[in-house]
Amino acid sequence: MPAKNKEPYKQSYYPPMPTAFTRYMRRSLVWQFIRFWIINFKIFKLLTKSHH
């Protein structure tokens, strides 16, 4: 029988904390607006290529 894990909730099981820059980018409306248009442009390119 395999040994049981005696420490099921070690720190390595949790995801890393986001940095201050990451938190800022997630909350920044300007960055979200820019990313929105970049993603829309990529989708638009994909759609225009699929019709040829």
Side-chain angles (χ1 to χ4, degrees):
M1 178 180 233
K4 290 187 177 184
N5 188 354
K6 296 185 187 242
E7 295 182 50
Y9 299 110
K10 289 197 276 186
Q11 183 63 29
S12 61
Y13 290 117
Y14 297 103
M17 292 292 294
T19 64
F21 180 72
T22 303
R23 288 194 308 270
Y24 169 76
M25 294 302 273
R26 289 177 182 173
R27 292 189 311 254
S28 172
L29 291 178
V30 173
W31 178 245
Q32 290 178 24
F33 183 76
I34 291 169
R35 289 297 302 156
F36 172 79
W37 285 107
I38 290 171
I39 291 169
N40 279 340
F41 181 70
K42 288 180 179 181
I43 293 171
F44 179 74
K45 284 193 329 186
L46 182 69
L47 289 173
T48 56
K49 287 181 181 179
S50 68
H51 289 292
H52 288 269

